[in-house]
Amino acid sequence: MPRTAARTRWRLGLTTTALLTAAALVPAPAHAEDVTDYAITVDASAKGAAIDDTMYGVFFEDINRAADGGLYAELVQNRSFEYSTADNGSYTPLTSWAAGGTAEVVNDAGRLNERNRNYLSLGAGSSVTNAGYNTGIRVDKGKRYDFSVWARATSGTTLTVSLKDTAGPLATARQVAVKGGWAKYEATFTATRTSNRGRLAVASTNAAALDEVSLFPRDTYKNQPNGLRKDLAEKIAALKPGFVRFPGGCLVNTGSMEDYSEASNWQRKRSYQWKDTIGPVEQRATNANFWGYNQSYGLGYYEYFRFSEDIGAMPLPVVPALVTGCGQNKATDDEALLQRHIQDTLDLIEFANGPATSKWGKVRAQMGHPKPFHLTHLGVGNEENLPKEFFARFERFRTAIKAKYPDITVISNSGPDDAGTTFDTAWQLNREGKVDMVDEHYYNSPNWFLQNNDRYDSYDRKGPKVFLGEYASQGNAWKNGLAEAAFMTGLERNADVVKLASYAPLLANEDYVQWRPDMIWFNNRASWNSANYEVQKLFMTNAGDRVVPSEATTTPNVSGPITGAVGLSTWATSAAYDDVKVTSADGSTLLSDDFSGDASKWTGSGRGSWSVQDGSYVQTDTAAENTMVTAGDPAWKDYDLHVRATKKAGKEGFLVAFGVKDTGNYYWWNLGGWNNTQSAIEQAVDGGKGTLMTKPGSIETGRAYDIDIKVRGRQVTLFLDGKEWGSFKDDKPAEPFRQVVTKDAKTGDLIVKVVNAQSAEARTAVDLGGAKVASTARVTTLAADEDAVNTETDTPVTPVTSTLRGVAPKFTYTFPANSVTFLRIRQR
């Protein structure tokens, strides 16, 4: 907020750095002559919404190698030789293996079992070596590692198993004698050196068949067999999540809905189906992962349930609804298949909750868990972009579940976006159908999160509750964490509507990334918390039990009219543009270009291949993304833009920009985006994009479209082929100062949570509404440069705790620039 030199200020007498590191801080008393930037007023006698213990949780999806090569502690990659071009075009059954001598992957009747289709035929005197993940197999000096393999040999055979790197052995080699049919053989190594580049080698004296070659650290999370990588599991546990949503995500609603059997021709590209993932690991199915690699299913439903229990979280599985999403958008019309999936869902509930004497409860007990897992919530479907088709099938699932298990909360969803036709239709169906809870997902810019703190203020208190199952701003810098924190104060204020919330995605292996941002990053040797993680942890571990009503002054909205130049762009598409004209509100021409000459009026970013062809400006590279070229004056306002556009080839349509200030700040009309399935208005602020409005629709190749955009003040109206497509008014301020107050029933603490997402400190008058409070408070502060990013070797965003002295019913406190601050104030 702007300041003047004439202001009289009460100072703490501390620099920002000292404020963050001091062991004891003393606030200035609030006096009438105090000049403050903001004021927070608390009504300590009033009761706001109750906050459930399950308010905040985590969402685990196997994306970015989150499972195999991540949370699942197995160190051998492609341990069952099941990798296939169905998983990734570059894969073979020997991916990550190097052979010495004769080694062939075989798929015939000699296999280990029907669902483990491939095995390795190893010739006499031959060997195979596994490269693990990242730089190799990580081992730590003095730690133990358990090796196992399923093998068969017609004559007496010795397997020599060794751990080594280029410098030599990492442990004493082991000899395993193999004779006869398939059997499991085991050995244990103790690492003699630490290495990030280990290799596991298996050599055979005579011909042998191998499968399920495995190496596990003995030291897994809670020492569970078939267990989890300890450091990653501990980071998740430290969040104290109220729930764990799994297994997806796009894994749930993409691919075939068939099973893995001879009848489906061993269908590899399937939706994630829970029965594939339980029982002995060597008998579990394999599957192509939607994100471009293989899923071994070593980490399956039993392990998810067990992990949820170990960290004290509610399990929240999601099952397929037989409508695909994530760009596939197909509804399966097969009554027998639908009935099978509905029965599978009922069987899942029995697996989780049934007695050990029931059919599926017995399976759970045989896996090592006789007691139930206490499943209470279950999601059906994920981000389906066909709301009517989805809801018709959802109702079939819900009816069957409620008939047998009436206490289960059955969760629907609202599609892949925060607004638009799909969202509106889905919510209408959910309201009319009186569903328990609706799962919303959105990924937007930091600016969007700062603008939409009040998103849930107007939701119907008597309608379906909200599960915010996936959300994140577009980055892992501290400015992203600040924006998310500001938004989360609104989630808590509306805890009577928003009952569950989870940031997404959870995990990312830095060498196998399909999606950014992510909460926890790792490689084969280390893991580290993002700035976003620190925000989530602070809120999760300080939620409180009830909102205490409070108000805060806001920053004045000083935004003027939309100003900026114009632009043309493409995304994985070739397109031709012509007849560009920009006219001011008074009718004068600001820009006119029919490309009868050159394109000297336009400036490009260097992406794509632009040239003038046959009187049009054409971008021909169908692989290039965001190829924007711009023309005009960034100071332009109140104008009309006309463009004639023709799609030549590629996946999407057109991007016509307006209000262009620079490469990171603009609006554009994205026509035929999202693989040519919908159109939207997107706004980029400092490089992060948010969606302002969206509608379904596609762009035809070879057809010329007339595109007109009318900008007046902050009102924008859009026309496609002379017909109004839509309009919006971008007049919502991005408020940088947000707060919420909650109460911890166990301790009696008032928890004042303040986000100051701006580069200036915020001196604030705090009025606790006459509450009798202790004179000291515990302060936890997250503060850093807005562009700071946590890495493996540097963590600038780290919580700092201190003690605040001199707390009173009224006091002032200066919240640092770019900070999230929690004051825990004990009531007397």
Side-chain angles (χ1 to χ4, degrees):
M1 190 172 181
R3 293 180 170 81
T4 65
R7 270 188 164 174
T8 301
R9 307 261 335 254
W10 289 88
R11 303 294 296 182
L12 291 180
L14 295 170
T15 65
T16 299
T17 302
L19 175 68
L20 297 182
T21 56
L25 302 177
V26 182
H31 299 299
E33 64 270 23
D34 244 355
V35 177
T36 55
D37 303 314
Y38 297 94
I40 297 173
T41 305
V42 182
D43 187 352
S45 63
K47 284 188 175 182
I51 302 174
D52 296 343
D53 291 341
T54 52
M55 173 74 177
Y56 295 119
V58 295
F59 164 48
F60 181 93
E61 178 175 9
D62 189 358
I63 184 173
N64 311 313
R65 285 284 186 189
D68 295 325
L71 184 60
Y72 186 49
E74 174 65 76
L75 296 171
V76 175
Q77 184 175 177
N78 189 18
R79 67 183 179 188
S80 287
F81 311 100
E82 297 288 344
Y83 276 26
S84 163
T85 53
D87 309 322
N88 186 295
S90 67
Y91 281 2
T92 75
L94 280 173
T95 292
S96 80
W97 293 95
T102 305
E104 179 185 8
V105 176
V106 181
N107 179 347
D108 65 15
R111 63 179 63 88
L112 176 60
N113 60 64
E114 187 179 48
R115 288 162 70 80
N116 196 331
R117 306 293 291 169
N118 290 349
Y119 65 93
L120 181 71
S121 176
L122 194 60
S126 300
S127 65
V128 285
T129 302
N130 191 265
Y133 297 94
N134 301 96
T135 56
I137 292 173
R138 163 75 181 199
V139 296
D140 290 289
K141 182 179 180 179
K143 293 291 183 70
R144 300 177 73 185
Y145 298 85
D146 294 323
F147 167 83
S148 65
V149 63
W150 283 81
R152 64 172 168 81
T154 55
S155 58
T157 296
T158 298
L159 301 179
T160 299
V161 187
S162 57
L163 266 173
K164 57 189 177 183
D165 62 11
T166 54
L170 294 169
T172 302
R174 301 300 183 198
Q175 307 289 319
V176 177
V178 176
K179 186 175 183 180
W182 286 108
K184 186 176 183 179
Y185 300 89
E186 299 176 326
T188 298
F189 293 96
T190 300
T192 55
R193 287 192 294 115
T194 294
S195 176
N196 301 321
R197 302 178 182 276
R199 300 291 188 267
L200 177 74
V202 182
S204 180
T205 56
N206 296 309
L210 308 180
D211 206 345
E212 204 73 17
V213 183
S214 173
L215 185 70
F216 259 87
R218 177 72 60 86
D219 189 18
T220 59
Y221 183 65
K222 292 190 178 293
N223 299 312
Q224 295 275 18
N226 195 49
L228 306 181
R229 178 171 152 173
K230 192 172 183 179
D231 63 324
L232 294 180
E234 287 178 342
K235 279 180 165 49
I236 299 169
L239 294 167
K240 301 188 184 302
F243 65 88
V244 178
R245 176 179 179 246
F246 62 89
C250 289
L251 304 188
V252 168
N253 68 338
T254 54
S256 167
M257 299 294 167
E258 300 288 344
D259 62 0
Y260 191 59
S261 68
E262 187 175 6
S264 71
N265 195 29
W266 307 105
Q267 177 63 248
R268 282 293 287 264
K269 294 187 175 183
R270 311 182 311 284
S271 64
Y272 195 111
Q273 299 171 45
W274 77 273
K275 288 180 180 177
D276 287 343
T277 75
I278 62 168
V281 291
E282 70 275 4
Q283 295 177 19
R284 299 183 187 182
T286 189
N287 200 6
N289 184 300
F290 173 81
W291 298 108
Y293 52 93
N294 177 269
Q295 305 176 82
S296 73
Y297 286 144
L299 176 56
Y301 258 70
Y302 175 78
E303 289 75 28
Y304 287 128
F305 277 122
R306 190 180 65 193
F307 180 52
S308 300
E309 181 180 71
D310 284 344
I311 63 177
M314 175 182 80
L316 203 166
V318 183
V319 299
L322 273 72
V323 178
T324 56
C326 301
Q328 296 183 356
N329 302 337
K330 178 184 176 183
T332 300
D333 292 311
D334 184 326
E335 181 61 26
L337 190 58
L338 176 62
Q339 288 292 347
R340 194 264 288 175
H341 276 268
I342 290 172
Q343 186 59 51
D344 280 355
T345 302
L346 297 175
D347 292 344
L348 170 61
I349 298 171
E350 183 176 283
F351 175 79
N353 292 352
T357 54
S358 65
K359 176 182 177 181
W360 291 101
K362 183 178 180 180
V363 173
R364 181 194 69 238
Q366 289 171 340
M367 293 184 73
H369 201 285
K371 293 182 180 179
F373 282 118
H374 305 296
L375 174 66
T376 59
H377 290 62
L378 184 142
V380 177
N382 168 77
E383 291 189 10
E384 284 72 27
N385 211 24
L386 301 173
K388 294 179 180 178
E389 293 85 344
F390 161 74
F391 198 75
R393 288 155 182 79
F394 170 83
E395 286 193 302
R396 297 282 299 277
F397 279 83
R398 181 177 60 164
T399 297
I401 293 167
K402 290 292 189 181
K404 191 168 184 180
Y405 302 104
D407 295 332
I408 294 289
T409 297
V410 185
I411 303 172
S412 179
N413 75 80
S414 60
D417 299 302
D418 61 270
T421 303
T422 296
F423 179 88
D424 292 340
T425 302
W427 257 106
Q428 180 182 350
L429 293 168
N430 286 317
R431 281 192 295 267
E432 292 172 351
K434 294 180 169 54
V435 303
D436 297 327
M437 188 175 287
V438 178
D439 186 4
E440 292 190 355
H441 295 177
Y442 38 81
Y443 298 90
N444 284 313
S445 67
N447 193 66
W448 185 95
F449 283 95
L450 292 175
Q451 287 179 315
N452 285 277
N453 176 275
D454 63 349
R455 176 179 176 87
Y456 297 105
D457 290 0
S458 59
Y459 271 49
D460 183 1
R461 267 48 201 168
K462 297 180 180 178
K465 302 305 180 185
V466 172
F467 171 24
L468 182 48
E470 298 183 32
Y471 73 99
S473 73
Q474 295 156 340
N476 279 139
W478 179 227
K479 62 186 176 185
N480 301 98
L482 282 168
E484 290 155 5
F487 188 73
M488 291 170 78
T489 66
L491 299 183
E492 289 194 0
R493 187 175 63 252
N494 290 285
D496 56 331
V497 169
V498 183
K499 306 304 290 184
L500 307 169
S502 50
Y503 178 100
L506 178 62
L507 294 171
N509 185 319
E510 67 172 352
D511 291 333
Y512 309 91
V513 180
Q514 292 84 43
W515 187 277
R516 298 173 187 268
D518 304 284
M519 197 197 297
I520 301 170
W521 288 82
F522 66 92
N523 49 39
N524 62 345
R525 63 187 178 273
S527 56
W528 56 98
N529 304 331
S530 67
N532 319 67
Y533 173 99
E534 297 298 350
V535 166
Q536 293 292 323
K537 184 179 180 183
L538 190 57
F539 275 84
M540 285 190 188
T541 55
N542 293 277
D545 303 284
R546 184 173 293 278
V547 175
V548 181
S550 61
E551 293 182 350
T553 53
T554 58
T555 302
N557 180 14
V558 295
S559 59
I562 292 174
T563 61
V566 298
L568 309 171
S569 188
T570 59
W571 198 289
T573 301
S574 172
Y577 296 98
D578 200 359
D579 299 333
V580 178
K581 190 169 185 178
V582 181
T583 307
S584 68
D586 63 9
S588 59
T589 300
L590 301 174
L591 172 71
S592 182
D593 201 339
D594 63 3
F595 302 104
S596 56
D598 57 24
S600 57
K601 297 175 182 178
W602 298 84
T603 301
S605 62
R607 291 187 291 270
S609 180
W610 289 92
S611 61
V612 175
Q613 300 179 19
D614 301 322
S616 295
Y617 200 20
V618 184
Q619 198 292 112
T620 56
D621 187 344
T622 57
E625 298 179 345
N626 192 4
T627 63
M628 188 152 67
V629 292
T630 62
D633 188 341
W636 279 351
K637 64 180 180 178
D638 295 337
Y639 57 77
D640 297 306
L641 166 63
H642 172 79
V643 178
R644 191 165 177 82
T646 305
K647 175 180 176 178
K648 311 290 280 187
K651 297 178 180 178
E652 304 205 347
F654 317 118
L655 296 161
V656 179
F658 56 98
V660 180
K661 291 183 173 61
D662 52 47
T663 56
N665 294 274
Y666 55 85
Y667 301 81
W668 67 21
W669 189 0
N670 186 346
L671 287 149
W674 293 269
N675 288 319
N676 206 15
T677 61
Q678 59 181 312
S679 299
I681 301 299
E682 297 180 279
Q683 180 185 16
V685 178
D686 295 332
K689 286 201 297 291
T691 302
L692 301 182
M693 61 183 300
T694 181
K695 290 184 178 182
S698 59
I699 293 298
E700 298 176 25
T701 301
R703 174 184 164 189
Y705 290 83
D706 284 305
I707 298 166
D708 290 276
I709 301 171
K710 180 179 181 179
V711 181
R712 294 293 185 274
R714 302 201 69 78
Q715 179 76 40
V716 179
T717 309
L718 307 116
F719 301 87
L720 185 62
D721 287 337
K723 296 181 180 179
E724 185 173 331
W725 178 86
S727 65
F728 70 94
K729 189 173 186 179
D730 182 26
D731 59 354
K732 210 170 188 181
E735 172 59 63
F737 188 85
R738 296 292 189 184
Q739 59 79 39
V740 70
V741 180
T742 65
K743 182 177 180 179
D744 186 331
K746 185 178 294 183
T747 64
D749 290 353
L750 288 176
I751 312 172
V752 180
K753 310 173 187 184
V754 177
V755 180
N756 182 32
Q758 57 191 331
S759 57
E761 61 185 19
R763 184 163 174 76
T764 305
V766 181
D767 182 347
L768 297 177
K772 296 180 178 179
V773 295
S775 60
T776 61
R778 188 168 85 246
V779 183
T780 305
T781 306
L782 292 168
D785 180 84
E786 65 175 1
D787 294 318
V789 176
N790 286 356
T791 67
E792 180 182 354
T793 56
D794 185 28
T795 54
V797 183
T798 302
V800 174
T801 59
S802 57
T803 300
L804 177 65
R805 304 189 186 283
V807 177
K810 293 183 179 181
F811 65 96
T812 57
Y813 189 87
T814 300
F815 295 96
N818 299 320
S819 69
V820 180
T821 306
F822 279 28
L823 308 173
R824 290 193 71 114
I825 303 170
R826 181 68 54 88
Q827 291 192 91
R828 290 189 295 187

